[in-house]
Amino acid sequence: MDKPMTLSEAIRLGAMLKPQGFGPDSMYAVDRSCALAAACDATGIQRVSRGSYDPYNDLCERFHILKITVPGKPWDVMDEIWRRNDSHSSRDAIADWVETLERQQEQSCDTSLTNSPSVSLSTVGTS
């Protein structure tokens, strides 16, 4: 089975499509993209604001890491990406930072799985 695309991979892939944009309008711009818009472009998430549709919600559904609190900060990963993008960090540098978080999350998940009790198939579904 194929591994799903990570947020860092989506940012890198989408960054190849358009020049970098800065500020709130870069999410909806046709000719440029911020780091989050690049992830939308790479994954096929629409970047239009129509009524109640919000591309940020779709991003958060696809990439749960966006809602995790940044270590040592009072905001989440999505807010940190906005801050880094708008302070003119390159999308590749942002993707590198996100990748370190993804690796940390993967390692903590692996650790919790190896430390959790085993479930026997013979006991599943029995009372």
Side-chain angles (χ1 to χ4, degrees):
M1 186 165 123
D2 290 334
K3 184 177 124 185
M5 184 183 301
T6 64
L7 178 58
S8 60
E9 291 168 336
I11 292 170
R12 285 188 182 100
L13 183 62
M16 290 189 250
L17 302 173
K18 296 175 182 165
Q20 187 165 1
F22 304 95
D25 294 339
S26 63
M27 175 53 104
Y28 305 105
V30 176
D31 60 340
R32 62 192 186 286
S33 63
C34 63
L36 293 170
C40 286
D41 291 345
T43 57
I45 294 173
Q46 294 182 19
R47 294 195 295 129
V48 294
S49 181
R50 290 190 197 134
S52 63
Y53 175 76
D54 181 0
Y56 295 110
N57 290 335
D58 286 350
L59 275 172
C60 288
E61 276 186 40
R62 181 160 185 143
F63 303 110
H64 297 251
I65 196 167
L66 287 168
K67 297 315 286 174
I68 293 172
T69 302
V70 176
K73 306 281 184 179
W75 53 77
D76 60 25
V77 170
M78 181 179 283
D79 289 336
E80 182 67 14
I81 291 172
W82 283 333
R83 291 167 188 268
R84 288 176 183 238
N85 188 87
D86 290 348
S87 66
H88 293 257
S89 290
S90 73
R91 291 172 294 181
D92 282 333
I94 294 167
D96 290 344
W97 175 76
V98 169
E99 186 176 13
T100 64
L101 296 178
E102 291 165 342
R103 286 184 183 154
Q104 289 170 0
Q105 204 175 31
E106 190 176 287
Q107 288 171 348
S108 69
C109 184
D110 289 346
T111 302
S112 67
L113 287 175
T114 57
N115 291 333
S116 65
S118 302
V119 176
S120 167
L121 289 177
S122 62
T123 61
V124 173
T126 61
S127 335

